[in-house]
């Protein structure tokens, strides 16, 4: 606790293979958030990760290099929520599918500027309109 992300990745973890650059670290498990390399000096503790939209969560860390597509990463973690959704609330059940559809569109090179606004609106709707804690952190990886 309190060790910086940079130290964990580059000293304890031995750095990025192949001399590639660090792009981001996804912290906190599927409901966590991605901390960009520009904030790698953040201390890994509850308050430190929270200020960048991530969390301690399950303690998981996924280290991504410069070749990682962050839209793919967002889709990967949203898939978890989609699969885990029990289906009771429409925002969670339908919203995650809609968000994944927009992310797919972007990764296929068909994205439009307005898709970002749609993603933000869906994320807020899912957060505010869902019943349980599964859906609350949905926008975090995005
Ligand atoms: S927010 Fe919770 S209760 Fe609602 S559909 Fe998702 S998993 Fe089910």
């Amino acid at each position: 606790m309190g060790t910086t992300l940079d130290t964990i990745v580059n000293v304890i973890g031995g750095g990025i293979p192949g001399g590639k650059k660090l792009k981001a670290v996804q912290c906190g498990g599927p409901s966590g958030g991605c901390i960009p390399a520009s904030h790698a000096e953040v201390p890994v503790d509850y308050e430190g990760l929270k200020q960048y939209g991530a969390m301690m969560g399950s303690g998981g860390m996924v280290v991504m290099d410069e070749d990682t597509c962050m839209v793919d990463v967002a889709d990967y973690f949203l898939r978890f929520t989609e699969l885990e959704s029990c289906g009771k609330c429409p925002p969670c059940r339908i919203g995650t599918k809609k968000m994944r559809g927009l992310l797919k569109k972007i990764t296929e090179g068909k994205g439009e500027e307005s898709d970002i606004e749609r993603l933000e609106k869906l994320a807020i709707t899912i957060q505010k309109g869902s019943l349980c804690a599964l859906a609350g952190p949905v926008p975090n990886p995005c």
Side-chain angles (χ1 to χ4, degrees):
M1 293 290 278
T3 307
T4 66
L5 260 187
D6 182 61
T7 301
I8 292 172
V9 173
N10 290 313
V11 179
I12 300 169
I16 308 289
K20 292 188 176 173
K21 287 184 192 157
L22 172 69
K23 183 177 257 183
V25 183
Q26 202 275 358
C27 299
S31 300
C34 295
I35 298 184
S38 56
H39 294 307
E41 285 305 322
V42 64
V44 176
D45 55 30
Y46 293 98
E47 294 75 23
L49 297 182
K50 201 175 168 187
Q51 66 181 311
Y52 295 113
M55 59 167 81
M56 290 296 289
S58 60
M61 282 186 185
V62 181
V63 179
M64 294 166 279
D65 70 22
E66 58 191 288
D67 295 334
T68 305
C69 169
M70 298 310 292
V71 184
D72 280 338
V73 171
D75 183 56
Y76 177 84
F77 285 107
L78 261 180
R79 185 168 176 266
F80 169 81
T81 312
E82 187 185 11
L83 290 172
E84 292 296 315
S85 173
C86 75
K88 186 174 180 180
C89 334
C92 173
R93 184 182 70 241
I94 302 166
T96 49
K97 282 185 176 53
K98 292 272 181 204
M99 283 184 82
R100 288 197 67 210
L102 287 167
L103 293 174
K104 186 167 183 283
K105 185 181 159 194
I106 293 169
T107 56
E108 288 172 347
K110 300 172 190 163
E112 299 163 72
E113 203 65 35
S114 57
D115 291 337
I116 302 296
E117 198 182 328
R118 281 196 200 114
L119 280 167
E120 285 173 348
K121 279 184 180 168
L122 278 166
I124 292 166
T125 304
I126 294 168
Q127 256 184 338
K128 291 189 173 172
S130 299
L131 280 175
C132 84
L134 181 85
V138 154
N140 289 356
C142 302

